[in-house]
């Protein structure tokens, strides 16, 4: 939640509103969601969606999430991010505060690949079996 003086009904920014409604920020802006809203107003919008939001939810297949939570395997640092098409299924997600040698070693016969640029300060680690060992 946003850090402001009104703790009983905090104000959310458009990114937080998008996360709460499970829609892309571009869709929120395109459909007139203001840059800030009270949490109670967002809850009301979620409970009684306008036609564009109801249609979006009806069209959603659920195959690919709109938002994912990235959480460091080692320290539990986390953020919510929009997944990219190129992201594979990660074995580990690691924040910039840690080194790969802090992770458990891959299983013998498996190799480790690293993907930078995951979220704002993470990298994804994928352990996969070498093709000749399958």
């Amino acid at each position: 939640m946003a850090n402001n003086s009104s703790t009983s009904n905090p104000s959310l920014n458009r990114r937080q509103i998008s996360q709460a409604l499970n829609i892309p920020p571009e869709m929120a802006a395109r459909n007139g969601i203001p840059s800030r809203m009270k949490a109670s107003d967002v809850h009301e919008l979620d409970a009684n969606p306008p036609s564009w939001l109801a249609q979006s939810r009806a069209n959603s297949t659920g195959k690919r999430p709109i938002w994912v939570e990235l959480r460091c395997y080692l320290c539990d640092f986390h953020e919510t991010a929009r997944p990219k098409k190129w992201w594979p299924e990660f074995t580990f997600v690691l924040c910039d505060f840690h080194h790969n040698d802090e992770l458990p070693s891959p299983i013998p016969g498996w190799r480790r690949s690293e993907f930078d640029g995951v979220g704002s300060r993470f990298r994804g680690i994928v352990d996969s079996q070498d093709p000749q060992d399958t």
Side-chain angles (χ1 to χ4, degrees):
M1 294 283 169
N3 185 12
N4 59 36
S5 59
S6 176
T7 56
S8 63
N9 193 9
S11 176
L12 305 177
N13 63 36
R14 189 176 288 137
R15 180 178 168 87
Q16 293 167 318
I17 296 165
S18 299
Q19 291 170 5
L21 298 176
N22 199 31
I23 60 173
E26 301 82 13
M27 179 183 283
R30 185 173 53 246
N31 286 286
I33 299 293
S35 60
R36 296 200 75 77
M37 284 179 76
K38 292 183 178 181
S40 59
D41 294 339
V42 175
H43 179 71
E44 177 63 28
L45 193 63
D46 187 40
N48 300 301
S51 58
W52 63 267
L53 183 55
Q55 184 66 45
S56 173
R57 290 175 176 175
N59 291 342
S60 176
T61 63
K63 290 181 181 176
R64 186 167 166 259
I66 296 171
W67 296 96
V68 294
E69 183 178 37
L70 300 171
R71 187 171 294 273
C72 179
Y73 174 79
L74 295 169
C75 70
D76 221 27
F77 179 82
H78 64 95
E79 74 178 27
T80 304
R82 299 275 313 275
K84 305 299 181 221
K85 291 180 182 179
W86 58 266
W87 288 4
E89 187 69 31
F90 297 122
T91 308
F92 301 103
V93 176
L94 204 58
C95 71
D96 289 342
F97 301 118
H98 301 286
H99 301 285
N100 290 4
D101 60 3
E102 296 177 70
L103 292 172
S105 297
I107 298 169
W110 288 55
R111 65 188 156 112
R112 183 160 279 171
S113 303
E114 182 176 331
F115 297 85
D116 288 325
V118 176
S120 67
R121 56 181 1 160
F122 291 91
R123 60 191 181 284
I125 309 296
V126 176
D127 290 348
S128 57
Q129 197 167 15
D130 285 332
Q132 68 269 19
D133 294 337
T134 57

